[in-house]
């Protein structure tokens, strides 16, 4: 298991959301003192709004120059779940064939003899097996494996090789590390399994808001923003948040809050209005892309400017009373089925930051999870380590990790900072020349994910490594003579 340094783990005495002073910096207190709560990972990005660099000077009020101490200096560290992931076996999703039967990608139907054959080959090829267990892949999804709901064909083949269609018949560990969002993990894994024709297990899957489950230990009543319908409410419930409010609940309570919103009877019937003037919302979680910028921005802005998160109030000092706001990821653009990438959560956040600054004269402090934030990569280590245990019974982190991504500003910069090998593909956001100028991929630029996987496999396993499992192979003849004798 990867270890966390002492300085990364703050001490605290109770479970109320609060700020502690540690080494002169304000940090959120760790719930519980029993070593069981979340792990706080120091932030690798500034917690201060980026709006200034996108705005004309005249937009900023002079008063913003006075940076005031804030009780919400929560951006100095990001909590991630501490515990190992649970119930792995119950969450394997195999894609189904036309008849509805589960299939294994690139492989014939499950036959005990194939598994026996693979294990015989592996027991002979000890050195190669060692190498195969000492490497792993972290796949970005959008722009690498899929475009929206459409498969990038090379992705299917790359995963088949890693799922055992290779000369050793061995599974090479890989996780999915996406800034995507908006659905419970299980539902998204089932959908991806179908699209990719490969099994995607929730225990090898991290989407942008997955590590934010740690925040459920800090806040009771939260506003959850973004996503289709009420899916993000479902996500937050699964993460253990106790009291979840979504913008529709607020519009149903007071429709005048969003003057341009057309609120359908169905939306009204499915929402959960309460008297929000009497409820203190403790934090705002933007989990996914807003489906209604005008309503969501208005409601978030009202809450950020309120007295301690109560609608119907305006704080005298907006900074000291400000409700903490978290975003699940910061990508400006996302490749989709459209011919050019679409604006993503980062664009929404920068718009919000600019409005906040224009209205209050101060910069918004906020936390942004997702790639390239260090906390997300640390969490990926945890997931990869426990996935290694699942695949190979060895709870350790492989030494050679390859991140394959299409976005230099998130996948590549994050992987480079974290010491991974980075591969940039040309099937998504990156459309440049030889390499990205600002955040070059250290392992190279590839036309697609299959080329990247094959090149990495050759580097680790040798140029002659075969990316196909031959079921007709005779393991006795396959190995050298001494090994063969041992098997006989
Ligand atoms: O930027 C939005 C998100 O869909 C990107 O996902 O898989 O490219 O990290 P991914
Ligand atoms: Mg991508």
């Amino acid at each position: 298991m990867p270890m966390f340094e002492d300085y990364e783990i703050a001490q605290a005495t109770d479970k109320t959301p609060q700020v502690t002073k540690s080494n002169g910096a304000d940090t959120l207190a760790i719930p519980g003192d029993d070593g069981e709560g979340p792990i706080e990972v120091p932030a690798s990005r500034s917690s201060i709004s980026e709006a200034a660099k996108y705005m004309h000077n005249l937009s900023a009020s002079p008063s913003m120059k006075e940076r005031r101490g804030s009780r919400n200096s929560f951006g100095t560290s990001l909590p991630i779940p501490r515990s190992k992931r649970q119930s792995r076996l119950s969450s394997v999703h195999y894609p189904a064939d036309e008849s509805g039967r589960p299939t294994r990608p690139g492989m014939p139907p499950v036959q005990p003899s194939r598994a026996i054959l693979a294990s015989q080959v592996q027991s002979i090829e000890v050195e190669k097996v060692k190498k195969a267990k000492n490497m792993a892949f972290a796949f970005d999804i959008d722009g690498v494996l899929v475009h929206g709901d459409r498969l990038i064909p090379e992705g299917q083949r790359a995963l088949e090789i890693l799922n055992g269609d290779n000369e050793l018949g061995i599974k090479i560990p890989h996780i999915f590390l996406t800034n995507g969002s908006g659905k419970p993990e299980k539902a998204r894994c089932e959908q991806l399994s179908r699209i990719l024709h490969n099994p995607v297990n929730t225990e090898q899957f991290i989407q942008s808001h997955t590590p934010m489950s740690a925040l459920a230990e800090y806040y009771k009543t939260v506003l959850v923003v973004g996503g289709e319908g009420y899916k993000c409410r479902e996500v937050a419930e699964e993460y253990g948040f106790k009291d979840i409010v979504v913008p529709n609940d607020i519009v149903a309570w007071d429709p005048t809050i969003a003057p341009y919103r057309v609120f359908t009877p169905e939306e009204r019937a499915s929402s959960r209005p309460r008297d929000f003037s009497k409820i203190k919302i403790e934090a705002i979680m933007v989990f996914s892309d807003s489906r209604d910028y005008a309503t969501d921005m208005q409601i978030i802005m009202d809450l950020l400017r309120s007295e301690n998160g109560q609608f119907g109030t305006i704080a005298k000092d907006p900074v000291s009373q400000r409700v903490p706001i978290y975003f699940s990821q910061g990508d400006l653009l996302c490749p989709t089925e459209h011919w050019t990438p679409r604006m993503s959560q980062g664009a929404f956040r920068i718009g919000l930051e600019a409005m906040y600054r224009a209205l209050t004269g101060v910069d918004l402090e906020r936390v942004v999870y997702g790639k390239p934030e260090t906390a997300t990569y640390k969490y990926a280590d945890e997931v990869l380590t426990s996935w290694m245990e699942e695949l190979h019974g060895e709870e350790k982190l492989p030494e050679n990790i390859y991140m394959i991504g299409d976005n230099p500003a998130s996948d590549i910069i994050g992987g480079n900072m974290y010491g991974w090998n980075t591969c940039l593909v040309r099937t998504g956001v990156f459309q440049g020349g030889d390499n990205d100028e600002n955040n070059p991929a250290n392992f190279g630029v590839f036309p697609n994910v299959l080329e990247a996987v094959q090149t990495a496999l050759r580097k680790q396993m040798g140029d002659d490594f075969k990316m196909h499992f031959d079921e007709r192979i005779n393991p006795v003849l396959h190995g050298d003579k001494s090994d063969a004798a041992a098997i006989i």
Side-chain angles (χ1 to χ4, degrees):
M1 290 283 289
M3 300 300 291
F4 292 89
E5 302 293 340
D6 288 348
Y7 70 84
E8 290 171 313
I9 303 171
Q11 300 298 312
T13 52
D14 64 38
K15 293 206 173 203
T16 54
Q18 59 177 299
V19 172
T20 54
K21 289 264 181 194
S22 156
N23 298 331
D26 287 340
T27 60
L28 262 181
I30 293 271
D33 57 359
D34 50 7
E36 294 296 320
I39 294 166
E40 294 241 354
V41 181
S44 52
R45 282 184 277 206
S46 164
S47 63
I48 305 297
S49 151
E50 285 174 84
K53 68 180 182 212
Y54 299 103
M55 292 174 74
H56 191 281
N57 283 341
L58 291 177
S59 309
S61 141
S63 64
M64 60 143 293
K65 288 186 181 140
E66 292 169 29
R67 287 274 300 115
R68 277 167 287 182
S70 159
R71 78 177 177 117
N72 295 324
S73 295
F74 57 96
T76 51
S77 66
L78 283 71
I80 60 171
R82 180 189 297 269
S83 57
K84 266 179 62 176
R85 295 163 73 89
Q86 302 293 322
S87 60
R88 297 177 202 118
L89 289 176
S90 61
S91 52
V92 182
H93 307 292
Y94 288 100
D97 63 16
E98 290 78 27
S99 64
R101 280 194 310 261
T103 60
R104 292 179 312 140
M107 309 296 275
V110 178
Q111 288 167 357
S113 60
R114 189 213 163 268
I116 292 167
L117 199 56
S119 95
Q120 285 179 344
V121 172
Q122 288 167 28
S123 69
I124 292 168
E125 296 285 2
V126 178
E127 281 310 308
K128 279 193 178 173
V129 167
K130 212 191 268 177
K131 288 179 187 168
K133 290 182 179 175
N134 200 22
M135 70 180 300
F137 290 87
F139 288 104
D140 175 79
I141 291 181
D142 290 307
V144 171
L145 298 171
V146 301
H147 286 138
D149 288 343
R150 206 179 63 216
L151 172 72
I152 297 176
E154 291 85 359
Q156 178 178 344
R157 183 64 201 136
L159 294 177
E160 286 168 359
I161 294 169
L162 301 183
N163 279 319
D165 196 13
N166 55 64
E167 68 171 58
L168 299 172
I170 197 168
K171 289 185 194 299
I172 295 172
H174 55 279
I175 59 168
F176 301 90
L177 184 58
T178 175
N179 272 356
S181 59
K183 276 194 181 125
E185 279 72 10
K186 186 166 179 289
R188 182 65 176 143
C189 286
E190 283 169 356
Q191 182 194 25
L192 281 169
S193 299
R194 279 193 299 274
I195 298 173
L196 297 171
H197 303 284
N198 274 271
V200 177
N201 188 309
T202 50
E203 301 305 315
Q204 65 183 147
F205 181 69
I206 303 165
Q207 48 187 348
S208 61
H209 42 63
T210 308
M212 292 172 77
S213 59
L215 295 170
E217 304 222 14
Y218 295 84
Y219 306 110
K220 182 169 169 278
T221 304
V222 292
L223 175 72
V224 170
V225 179
E228 273 172 39
Y230 297 98
K231 287 198 179 122
C232 282
R233 190 193 314 261
E234 228 181 287
V235 171
E237 277 164 2
E238 286 190 6
Y239 290 173
F241 286 98
K242 300 284 179 308
D243 186 18
I244 303 146
V245 179
V246 300
N248 273 6
D249 304 335
I250 296 160
V251 178
W253 163 64
D254 179 3
T256 65
I257 206 163
Y260 310 118
R261 174 67 180 266
V262 179
F263 204 49
T264 65
E266 293 75 31
E267 284 172 319
R268 187 173 303 282
S270 55
S271 60
R272 301 178 191 166
R274 286 182 266 167
D275 183 354
F276 288 105
S277 67
K278 297 200 167 64
I279 288 163
K280 284 189 179 169
I281 293 181
E282 293 167 10
I284 303 166
M285 313 270 152
V286 182
F287 268 6
S288 192
D289 291 299
S290 168
R291 273 27 181 205
D292 178 355
Y293 274 38
T295 302
D296 291 346
M297 281 180 163
Q298 183 68 66
I299 286 175
I300 292 173
M301 200 61 70
D302 287 345
L303 207 49
L304 288 172
R305 299 178 68 200
S306 70
E307 189 86 28
N308 288 317
Q310 253 173 295
F311 282 99
T313 65
I314 295 181
K316 285 185 202 72
D317 175 1
V319 174
S320 64
Q321 300 304 302
R322 192 168 54 212
V323 171
I325 180 165
Y326 296 85
F327 295 85
S328 74
Q329 56 103 344
D331 291 352
L332 272 180
L333 296 172
C334 175
T336 69
E337 289 97 337
H338 194 72
W339 67 276
T340 187
R342 303 290 79 200
M343 288 192 294
S344 187
Q345 214 191 104
F348 176 81
R349 173 177 54 79
I350 285 166
L352 195 70
E353 289 171 357
M355 283 178 209
Y356 184 84
R357 189 175 177 191
L359 285 169
T360 65
V362 293
D363 284 329
L364 179 64
E365 273 180 275
R366 78 289 188 272
V367 162
V368 186
Y369 276 80
K371 296 170 290 184
E373 184 57 52
T374 304
T376 290
Y377 285 80
K378 268 198 184 293
Y379 186 62
D381 269 358
E382 291 280 307
V383 170
L384 198 45
T385 305
S386 76
W387 188 240
M388 270 291 288
E389 190 196 15
E390 177 64 37
L391 286 192
H392 298 309
E394 296 173 20
E395 193 179 10
K396 64 168 202 180
L397 198 58
E399 280 174 322
N400 306 298
I401 302 177
Y402 290 81
M403 167 94 228
I404 305 186
D406 67 303
N407 190 341
S410 69
D411 311 314
I412 304 304
I413 188 173
N416 286 349
M417 282 194 309
Y418 209 57
W420 289 358
N421 302 296
T422 49
C423 312
L424 182 58
V425 293
R426 296 186 181 278
T427 47
V429 167
F430 177 70
Q431 307 281 333
D434 289 347
N435 206 330
D436 186 65
E437 283 174 18
N438 300 320
N439 307 296
N442 59 37
F443 191 65
V445 179
F446 299 89
N448 57 59
V449 60
L450 180 58
E451 300 265 352
V453 165
Q454 288 173 331
T455 310
L457 283 172
R458 286 193 195 102
K459 163 109 195 270
Q460 298 304 141
M461 305 297 299
D463 282 340
D464 60 345
F465 186 68
K466 292 182 201 57
M467 300 184 208
H468 175 61
F469 184 73
D470 187 353
E471 302 237 1
R472 295 159 309 168
I473 200 166
N474 180 339
V476 175
L477 300 177
H478 185 74
D480 67 26
K481 285 209 171 92
S482 54
D483 283 329
I487 277 199
I488 292 164

